[in-house]
Amino acid sequence: MAVPAWERVARLVLCTVGLLLSVYAFHVETSKERDTAYQAMCDISSAISCSRVFTSRWGRGFGLVAGLLGHHSVFNQPNSVFGIAFYILQILLGFSNSGLAAITLLGSSIVSIAGSLFLAYILFSVLHDFCVVCVSTYVVNFALFFLNYKRLGYLNQFWQRHAPKAKQK
């Protein structure tokens, strides 16, 4: 086996946490949209409020899709929907030892890191808020990036050890 067992366990744990956070974020956003009096568990104070973040302009399509494609675009989904798709992709591709899967895992992690950094900037500099759920997903995304980087290294070492030796003259 090219990828150690601990890597698969760590991936399942991280992706499960990411999925739970994303499903909870979706629940909070949709509940707050239906009932403005809804109080989420992650709404600790006026400065620490996830529902304020999730229902802001930046909570859908990263705050960019509506301006580019319109409010009714199919791509203008809550950010949590993109998170759910990302974590499911990470789980499914994590079962493969293929090079393409490893590159896709790392590439999608790089995109998630870019999104996390962008949303962290918006969270602290634009919204002046602290969102426990958001910051937790950023941590999960960084951990998955590290795991995917290590996976590519493990697979590369495995392929080098098991590559057919070129005939020497």
Side-chain angles (χ1 to χ4, degrees), residues 124-160:
F124 298 115
S125 299
V126 176
L127 298 175
H128 305 288
D129 203 329
F130 184 85
C131 170
V132 176
V133 174
C134 303
V135 172
S136 298
T137 61
Y138 306 157
V139 170
V140 169
N141 290 347
F142 274 95
L144 278 171
F145 170 76
F146 175 75
L147 205 61
N148 289 327
Y149 179 77
K150 295 292 287 178
R151 170 181 276 252
L152 204 53
Y154 289 132
L155 290 175
N156 191 31
Q157 288 174 358
F158 176 79
W159 294 325
Q160 286 177 355

Side-chain angles (χ1 to χ4, degrees), residues 79-165:
N79 294 344
S80 55
V81 171
F82 296 109
I84 291 167
F86 170 72
Y87 296 119
I88 289 172
L89 176 76
Q90 290 285 312
I91 290 171
L92 294 177
L93 290 179
F95 289 114
S96 174
N97 281 335
S98 81
L100 181 59
I103 290 168
T104 304
L105 285 167
L106 186 61
S108 62
S109 279
I110 291 169
V111 171
S112 80
I113 293 301
S116 293
L117 291 172
F118 172 72
L119 290 173
Y121 168 78
I122 297 300
L123 181 64
F124 298 115
S125 299
V126 176
L127 298 175
H128 305 288
D129 203 329
F130 184 85
C131 170
V132 176
V133 174
C134 303
V135 172
S136 298
T137 61
Y138 306 157
V139 170
V140 169
N141 290 347
F142 274 95
L144 278 171
F145 170 76
F146 175 75
L147 205 61
N148 289 327
Y149 179 77
K150 295 292 287 178
R151 170 181 276 252
L152 204 53
Y154 289 132
L155 290 175
N156 191 31
Q157 288 174 358
F158 176 79
W159 294 325
Q160 286 177 355
R161 278 186 270 131
H162 293 88
K165 304 293 181 200

Side-chain angles (χ1 to χ4, degrees), residues 5-71:
W6 70 263
E7 189 272 354
R8 292 177 193 269
V9 172
R11 175 177 311 283
L12 283 173
V13 168
L14 287 169
C15 289
T16 300
V17 170
L19 273 169
L20 291 172
L21 288 166
S22 295
V23 168
Y24 179 69
F26 184 79
H27 166 73
V28 169
E29 181 174 347
T30 55
S31 296
K32 189 72 171 178
E33 287 174 350
R34 281 193 311 270
D35 177 12
T36 56
Y38 174 76
Q39 178 89 24
M41 288 187 307
C42 54
D43 290 340
I44 299 166
S45 70
S46 61
I48 304 173
S49 172
C50 62
S51 64
R52 189 170 90 85
V53 173
F54 298 152
T55 57
S56 75
R57 149 184 181 203
W58 306 99
R60 284 186 165 266
F62 300 93
L64 304 172
V65 173
L68 296 171
L69 302 174
H71 289 286

